[in-house]
Amino acid sequence: MRIDRIELLEIRMPLVHFFETSFGRTTDRRIVLLRACADGLEGWGEVTCGENPFYSYETPDTAWHVLRDFLVPWALEKPWDSPADLAERFRPVRGHNMARAALENALWDIEAQGRGVPLAELLGGTREEIPCGVSIGIQNSFEELLEKIRHELAAGYQRIKVKIRPGWDVEILERIRNQFPGIDLMADANSAYTLADIEHLKLLDRFDLMMVEQPLGWDDLVDHSRLQRELKTPICLDESIHSAEDARKALEIGACQIINIKLGRVGGHSAARKLHDFCRAQRVPVWCGGMLESGIGRAHNIAMSTLPGFVLPGDVSASRRYWARDIIDPEVTVTAKGTIAVPRKPGLGYVPDLARIEKLTVRKESFEKRS
Ligand code: OSB
Ligand code: MG
């Protein structure tokens, strides 16, 4: 594979509804997309960072910098046997996984198109449809939260995840359980607690949650292992896991029982597959997390979720939950039984809507191979 050209584009997209976590509220997204041209084909990737360095240290501007000044020049330097080789070449850069994932994933899209197979198949995926859950942010009132849960259950989603933080946790879970005793329910704290809250966190054990996601520090494993010993509810790690190596260490000390895999957080499809394979060998369930992606990132998430170890419903849901109009055609839709049918066309299987992307673009930079 010889990459001829790489384009970075920043688009702005308003969310149809604000999304609030313990670290803040998002209403408008700034999304960096990457378009790569190689072998006469065009592949797309998305930088899945937040606007602010709150979920992780990456932002659209750090990603732009790391891509423009390091990853993109390296990628254009010489031909590549496979996208995984490129990931290897990026190794000297420490961190910035969301920046590297955007580029590597665009090449996976090209590779799949070149072979005439769906990306899911190229990755080793086995599912024809993937099970879907929803992540519901902190709302202005409990009534609004209930209404949202009712709405998503009616749409068919298989599990409900609610965001929690001190002051929006035990009471709301209690009320949700009263209303919906039998649903598959989980909570995501995005690192809103510390070990000092251990007695409070133990109250979560009353609610028969599938798991509690990232209750403690975003970079912690040790305290999570302390907490897991005291908690019946399984802990799922999100922010703390950046690689298969992190997962090995987390499992070795009992820091979690489930892992949320996000393509951006781990650095792209190669790293995600390694992490998946490791967890599967250890019989640790994984599921696909979300980062309020546009259709491009969403399509990559769908492909990854077809791997056999993704046994739990992920946070991959319909385009319309986020966007008045998505940037892919068709948009991502969910069936009445809460699944997404995996596209069978080569590559991502969803076509980027170039006119729409152009309209939303606020910044663009192109890079060509050196002769
Ligand atoms: O922790 O999973 C998270 C969104 C932004 C940042 C972090 C998280 C989330 C979500 C939303 O939970 C998942 C989605 O895209 O639907
Ligand atoms: Mg999370």
Side-chain angles (χ1 to χ4, degrees):
M1 175 185 298
R2 168 105 208 187
I3 309 166
D4 299 313
R5 180 186 164 83
I6 294 173
E7 233 170 68
L8 296 178
L9 305 100
E10 179 181 335
I11 60 171
R12 301 280 161 101
M13 283 174 95
L15 289 167
V16 293
H17 186 268
F18 69 80
F19 190 85
E20 185 170 327
T21 70
S22 61
F23 55 72
R25 183 178 283 198
T26 306
T27 52
D28 293 283
R29 300 266 8 248
R30 290 178 61 195
I31 299 176
V32 175
L33 300 174
L34 185 147
R35 165 158 57 174
C37 306
D39 308 333
L41 298 166
E42 193 174 291
W44 287 81
E46 173 170 339
V47 178
T48 61
C49 62
E51 288 64 38
N52 307 299
F54 300 164
Y55 168 84
S56 76
Y57 58 78
E58 291 190 85
T59 69
D61 295 301
T62 68
W64 197 283
H65 158 57
V66 168
L67 280 159
R68 180 192 58 203
D69 297 330
F70 300 98
L71 306 180
V72 167
W74 292 349
L76 290 170
E77 209 170 85
K78 60 173 193 182
W80 302 97
D81 286 337
S82 81
D85 292 345
L86 193 61
E88 194 58 30
R89 180 69 213 265
F90 290 167
R91 221 215 288 255
V93 169
R94 293 185 177 170
H96 298 281
N97 283 354
M98 293 166 176
R100 65 176 94 207
L103 178 43
E104 189 199 308
N105 292 350
L107 301 190
W108 279 100
D109 179 16
I110 291 177
E111 176 93 2
Q113 291 176 49
R115 292 172 186 245
V117 298
L119 176 57
E121 187 182 320
L122 179 63
L123 295 172
T126 50
R127 280 167 220 287
E128 289 178 6
E129 54 180 5
I130 61 163
C132 306
V134 288
S135 173
I136 303 181
I138 294 163
Q139 305 297 316
N140 287 328
S141 68
F142 177 68
E143 287 63 39
E144 283 163 70
L145 177 64
L146 259 198
E147 184 44 45
K148 284 220 140 57
I149 295 174
R150 222 176 270 125
H151 179 81
E152 305 299 6
L153 290 171
Y157 286 102
Q158 298 184 11
R159 71 103 169 94
I160 301 289
K161 156 170 145 182
V162 293
K163 293 291 191 178
I164 57 169
R165 61 162 159 71
W168 184 270
D169 51 15
V170 174
E171 194 191 335
I172 66 131
L173 289 168
E174 177 109 58
R175 294 170 74 175
I176 294 171
R177 263 300 176 231
N178 286 339
Q179 298 276 334
F180 308 103
I183 62 168
D184 280 346
L185 181 66
M186 59 174 287
D188 185 358
N190 289 108
S191 299
Y193 302 90
T194 70
L195 271 188
D197 301 309
I198 203 156
E199 289 311 313
H200 183 72
L201 289 168
K202 280 190 197 171
L203 299 175
L204 299 180
D205 280 340
R206 297 180 191 165
F207 305 118
D208 189 28
L209 302 178
M210 298 167 80
M211 67 195 91
V212 57
E213 189 179 341
Q214 199 74 30
L216 307 179
W218 61 276
D219 56 351
D220 167 77
L221 295 178
V222 174
D223 285 357
H224 280 102
S225 114
R226 254 292 283 295
L227 177 64
Q228 183 67 93
R229 272 179 266 145
E230 308 267 333
L231 218 58
K232 283 204 231 65
T233 307
I235 291 176
C236 169
L237 288 179
D238 172 354
E239 282 89 329
S240 295
I241 304 293
H242 303 96
S243 63
E245 273 297 282
D246 284 348
R248 176 182 66 74
K249 292 167 191 170
L251 296 178
E252 198 167 300
I253 64 171
C256 66
Q257 300 179 35
I258 299 171
I259 290 176
N260 158 338
I261 302 185
K262 288 181 181 167
L263 266 172
R265 199 190 68 230
V266 304
H269 283 299
S270 318
R273 204 166 56 179
K274 267 190 212 137
L275 173 53
H276 160 275
D277 293 351
F278 174 78
C279 290
R280 188 154 184 250
Q282 302 291 312
R283 298 181 192 288
V284 170
V286 303
W287 53 277
C288 178
M291 289 295 290
L292 312 178
E293 288 92 344
S294 81
I296 305 280
R298 216 161 277 280
H300 278 288
N301 286 343
I302 293 167
M304 175 176 79
S305 301
T306 62
L307 295 174
F310 284 80
V311 294
L312 295 167
D315 281 346
V316 187
S317 54
S319 297
R320 59 187 287 190
R321 293 192 62 248
Y322 301 86
W323 317 116
R325 209 172 123 204
D326 205 341
I327 58 168
I328 51 166
D329 185 33
E331 301 194 319
V332 175
T333 55
V334 167
T335 67
K337 52 186 170 109
T339 62
I340 293 171
V342 179
R344 296 163 189 273
K345 292 195 212 109
L348 277 182
Y350 296 88
V351 182
D353 179 342
L354 298 181
R356 174 122 185 97
I357 292 173
E358 171 103 40
K359 248 198 213 142
L360 300 170
T361 298
V362 295
R363 161 159 76 144
K364 187 166 161 175
E365 201 170 337
S366 303
F367 311 85
E368 312 270 341
K369 74 163 182 241
R370 279 192 261 131
S371 72

